[in-house]
């Protein structure tokens, strides 16, 4: 890094801003920044330096000085002090969650979106062309999940498109719950909620994503959650029917997961839709496909989502499945006109046909995040997207085979998508009961994280019936979304888990009867 102050000698009013005079210096700075970012992503270690939160707080939270620091120096400070403490999801040893943000098209799109400062709130003067890039990806996503498609030439305004790009699955789910609320009690947008107990929310027990319930509370509908039993992480449809009967007239929404956030099991969407509609066709059906959207990319995998097109709304999370840098999600609706029920009218958000700000509750100024997805989809093409989806699912399947092949490990799910959930549970530990199995697996997870070398995710999950059905387990989770994970690394991480588990057992702090 070669720079002094990037703005020395300028008109004071322009200090710190790009002008034709400092363009070359700024270009070098941005090039350096990109180099620092790429080095970070290509770093093998997940964490270079692992410290507890208090130590990190005390190191990072400095006072603002009177005089400024050159951007060049700050970049070095970031590189040498903050990034070593930061997590690299693109490391090939990071195998537990989410996505790498390493898609090349998406990264280039992110840079252009950042440099062009389009504001998606209005079309005519804020984002004359970017608006239509966004509408293009909404249309492509609708086609992929099988919603009725309209040719671009028939899209006359934002209410004819049938989708909204948002900042994440949580926001997409929240808009879906608003739509459910308006279906149940039209006009609540302006009149407010009067009797929140009417807005029952049906979810599968133990695997619901917190955002759905939180959404209901945020939009004033309280938390009338009706939990339905599951079988193998899918709705038990007998219990679903029972719940629908028991709460007749008091259910605003039924949510089904096309890939729950733990095991990524895809529910039998067609059967869920049929069951719900048979009881009450007015109930809002929402499919959370944050993970399952992956299957929509491939003809071979799409049948796993059969029935998704029957749902009133679908959440997709491209930042979780396509290697897209945070944050980008989509809410799609089967009937485009329903978005009118949650629209915002203001003379600030211009009342023009294509002003996206009218159909994005909670969001005002909005960056051109959708360009990342447009770049990813265009650069891969249908073939490339299909290849990406099938290779990720195949990699999970390979991992599950390795777990199945060992008698000291126990597989908890037959992977539908990218997640493989398993326990270290050699015979003697299984005999000792689920509490000890949990204790050992939590300690394995703690040590792996502490180590900073490998990452597998952990959470609580009801036992599907491998040890004691219904008991809460604390398994480990592998995720196959990182294209840099190799077969060798899979062997190595499993060896590491088993060795860590074995040494916890032999240390003898956890007492396992072996008689
Ligand atoms: C991650 C996730 C969400 C929330 O998405 P964000 O993008 O993190 O806001 C919602 N539902 C499911 C099933 C998820 O996995």
């Amino acid at each position: 890094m070669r720079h002094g102050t990037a703005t020395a000698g300028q008109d004071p009013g322009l200090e710190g801003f790009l002008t034709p005079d400092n363009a070359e210096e700024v270009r070098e700075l941005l090039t350096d920044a990109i180099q620092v970012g790429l080095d970070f992503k290509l770093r093998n270690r997940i964490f270079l330096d692992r410290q507890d939160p208090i130590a990190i707080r005390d190191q990072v939270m400095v006072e603002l000085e009177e005089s400024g620091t050159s951007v060049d120096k700050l970049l070095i400070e970031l590189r040498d002090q903050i990034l070593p403490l930061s997590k690299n999801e693109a490391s090939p040893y990071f195998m537990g969650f989410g996505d790498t943000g390493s898609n090349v098209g998406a990264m280039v799109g992110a840079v252009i979106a950042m440099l062009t400062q389009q504001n998606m709130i209005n079309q005519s003067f804020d984002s004359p062309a970017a608006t239509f890039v966004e509408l293009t990806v909404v249309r492509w996503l609708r086609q992929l999940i099988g919603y009725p498609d309209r040719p671009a030439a028939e899209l006359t305004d934002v209410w004819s498109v049938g989708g909204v790009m948002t900042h994440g699955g949580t926001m997409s789910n929240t808009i879906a719950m608003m739509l459910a609320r308006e279906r149940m009690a039209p006009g609540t947008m302006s009149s407010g909620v009067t009797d929140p107990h009417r807005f029952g929310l049906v979810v599968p027990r133990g695997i619901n994503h917190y955002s759905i319930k939180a959404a209901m509370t945020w939009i004033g509908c309280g938390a009338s959650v009706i939990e339905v039993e599951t079988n193998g992480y899918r709705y038990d449809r007998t219990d679903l029917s029972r719940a629908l009967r028991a709460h007749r007239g008091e259910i605003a929404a039924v949510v089904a997961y096309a890939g729950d956030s733990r095991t990524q099991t895809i529910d039998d969407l067609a059967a869920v839709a049929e069951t719900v509609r048979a009881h009450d066709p007015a109930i809002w059906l929402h499919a959370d496909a944050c993970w399952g959207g992956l299957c929509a990319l491939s003809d071979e995998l799409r049948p796993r989502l059969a029935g998704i097109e029957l749902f009133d709304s679908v959440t997709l999370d491209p930042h979780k499945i396509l290697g897209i840098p945070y944050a980008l999600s989509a809410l799609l609706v089967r009937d485009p006109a329903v978005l009118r029920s949650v629209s915002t009218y203001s003379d600030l958000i211009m009342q023009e046909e294509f002003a996206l700000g009218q159909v994005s509750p909670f969001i005002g100024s909005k960056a051109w995040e959708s360009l990342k997805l447009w770049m990813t989809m265009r650069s891969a093409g249908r073939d490339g997207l299909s290849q990406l989806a099938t290779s990720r699912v195949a990699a999970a399947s390979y991992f599950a085979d390795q777990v199945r092949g060992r008698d000291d490990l126990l597989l908890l799910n037959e992977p539908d998508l990218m997640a493989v959930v398993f326990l270290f549970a050699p015979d003697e530990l299984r005999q000792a009961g689920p509490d000890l199995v949990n204790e050992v697996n939590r300690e394995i997870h703690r040590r792996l994280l502490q180590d900073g070398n490998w990452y597998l995710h952990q959470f609580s999950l009801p036992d599907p019936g491998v040890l004691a059905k219904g008991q809460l387990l604390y398994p480990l989770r592998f995720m196959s979304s990182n294209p840099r994970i190799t077969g060798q690394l899979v062997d190595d991480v499993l060896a590491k888990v088993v060795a860590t588990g074995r040494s916890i057992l032999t240390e003898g702090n956890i007492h396992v009867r072996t008689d």
Side-chain angles (χ1 to χ4, degrees):
M1 292 188 203
R2 307 161 293 274
H3 319 280
T5 53
T7 54
Q10 278 187 9
D11 184 335
L14 295 174
E15 233 168 81
F17 287 81
L18 169 69
T19 66
D21 297 336
N22 64 10
E24 184 54 24
E25 259 181 279
V26 172
R27 194 186 61 75
E28 286 180 14
L29 266 174
L30 283 170
T31 306
D32 288 347
I34 285 171
Q35 191 58 52
V36 167
L38 293 181
D39 289 347
F40 177 81
K41 283 187 116 52
L42 291 170
R43 182 176 98 188
N44 269 341
R45 282 186 63 94
I46 299 167
F47 299 101
L48 282 184
D49 186 5
R50 195 77 182 120
Q51 290 181 38
D52 65 54
I54 299 302
I56 299 177
R57 178 194 70 188
D58 294 343
Q59 178 181 329
V60 172
M61 298 192 69
V62 297
E63 297 303 324
L64 181 62
E65 306 96 330
E66 282 308 319
S67 55
T69 307
S70 73
V71 175
D72 186 45
K73 282 212 182 91
L74 292 174
L75 186 57
I76 292 169
E77 183 181 319
L78 270 173
R79 184 194 65 191
D80 297 344
Q81 291 174 43
I82 311 256
L83 297 188
L85 292 160
S86 304
K87 169 204 65 172
N88 176 23
E89 290 194 40
S91 153
Y93 299 86
F94 188 88
M95 304 180 173
F97 184 81
D99 215 339
T100 58
S102 297
N103 183 279
V104 177
M107 290 191 288
V108 171
V111 170
I112 296 300
M114 180 264 289
L115 291 174
T116 54
Q117 186 80 341
Q118 301 300 289
N119 187 343
M120 309 308 292
I121 192 169
N122 290 315
Q123 185 263 329
S124 62
F125 66 88
D126 273 329
S127 53
T131 294
F132 295 102
V133 169
E134 183 146 324
L135 295 181
T136 303
V137 295
V138 169
R139 185 165 166 258
W140 289 342
L141 294 175
R142 287 179 59 88
Q143 290 170 349
L144 287 174
I145 67 153
Y147 270 165
D149 181 37
R150 291 168 76 175
E154 284 178 25
L155 303 179
T156 49
D157 56 32
V158 291
W159 296 285
S160 57
V161 179
V164 184
M165 301 306 297
T166 78
H167 294 148
T170 300
M171 188 172 289
S172 297
N173 282 342
T174 304
I175 299 172
M177 293 303 103
M178 281 176 84
L179 291 165
R181 186 191 68 188
E182 295 305 306
R183 157 89 54 91
M184 183 82 183
T188 301
M189 274 283 277
S190 46
S191 63
V193 174
T194 48
D195 49 351
H197 77 276
R198 292 166 70 192
F199 300 97
L201 167 67
V202 173
V203 299
R205 185 188 298 285
I207 52 171
N208 185 39
H209 191 267
Y210 64 86
S211 61
I212 290 281
K213 176 178 164 192
M216 281 305 220
T217 65
W218 294 331
I219 63 171
C221 291
S224 307
V225 178
I226 301 160
E227 289 188 308
V228 165
E229 299 304 328
T230 58
N231 275 326
Y233 310 116
R234 294 183 178 90
Y235 272 121
D236 173 336
R237 287 198 300 281
T238 309
D239 198 47
L240 178 59
S241 291
R242 183 204 53 75
L244 291 165
R245 273 194 306 274
H247 299 273
R248 185 175 292 282
E250 295 186 339
I251 296 173
V254 173
V255 177
Y257 288 90
D260 65 84
S261 54
R262 292 170 168 81
T263 66
Q264 298 185 352
T265 303
I266 301 175
D267 216 317
D268 186 341
L269 300 172
V272 170
E274 200 178 293
T275 305
V276 174
R277 297 261 195 256
H279 277 82
D280 183 352
I283 292 174
W284 190 270
L285 273 171
H286 177 64
D288 182 332
C290 282
W291 297 112
L294 187 73
C295 291
L297 303 172
S298 134
D299 291 340
E300 184 191 328
L301 298 171
R302 197 172 301 112
R304 297 182 188 195
L305 297 177
I308 197 166
E309 71 286 353
L310 303 171
F311 282 65
D312 294 297
S313 54
V314 174
T315 291
L316 298 171
D317 238 3
H319 67 211
K320 284 205 180 143
I321 56 170
L322 280 168
I324 289 179
Y326 297 130
L328 185 68
S329 175
L331 177 72
L332 306 179
V333 291
R334 192 164 49 115
D335 170 14
V338 297
L339 286 175
R340 281 196 186 274
S341 70
V342 295
S343 288
T344 312
Y345 300 93
S346 142
D347 50 10
L348 278 178
I349 306 167
M350 289 180 59
Q351 290 179 37
E352 55 178 44
E353 290 78 4
F354 293 106
L356 290 171
Q358 298 169 105
V359 287
S360 55
F362 312 105
I363 307 175
S365 298
K366 186 171 89 173
W368 191 8
E369 303 283 357
S370 51
L371 181 58
K372 294 179 286 193
L373 180 57
W374 187 86
M375 289 289 287
T376 300
M377 294 180 81
R378 290 283 317 267
S379 61
R382 288 184 187 272
D383 288 345
L385 293 171
S386 170
Q387 158 67 24
L388 178 138
T390 50
S391 68
R392 287 177 167 201
V393 171
S397 176
Y398 174 80
F399 191 94
D401 286 343
Q402 306 312 302
V403 171
R404 251 189 238 103
R406 304 188 61 127
D407 50 19
D408 44 12
L409 299 175
L410 197 52
L411 185 67
L412 294 192
N413 71 321
E414 293 299 326
D416 277 346
L417 291 164
M418 302 182 284
V420 185
V421 186
F422 67 103
L423 285 163
F424 170 70
D427 239 356
E428 67 269 28
L429 187 55
R430 272 179 233 191
Q431 303 304 324
D435 289 339
L436 282 182
V437 173
N438 282 342
E439 207 176 320
V440 171
N441 280 275
R442 293 178 87 161
E443 181 61 15
I444 293 172
H445 181 252
R446 202 191 61 75
R447 290 189 189 186
L448 291 186
L449 203 58
Q450 181 66 27
D451 213 35
N453 255 330
W454 296 93
Y455 184 79
L456 293 167
H457 198 40
Q458 184 165 66
F459 40 72
S460 66
L461 184 74
D463 182 342
V466 293
L467 291 173
K469 188 169 164 63
Q471 157 98 31
L472 217 50
L473 298 176
Y474 287 86
L476 298 162
R477 180 180 70 187
F478 166 85
M479 224 144 82
S480 66
S481 46
N482 188 336
R484 293 188 62 205
I485 299 172
T486 59
Q488 182 61 49
L489 289 175
V490 165
D491 294 346
D492 292 351
V493 77
L494 287 175
K496 177 76 184 173
V497 165
V498 169
T500 308
R502 292 256 167 236
S503 76
I504 293 166
L505 289 180
T506 53
E507 282 162 20
N509 295 327
I510 289 166
H511 295 286
V512 176
R513 276 178 291 122
T514 46
D515 49 58

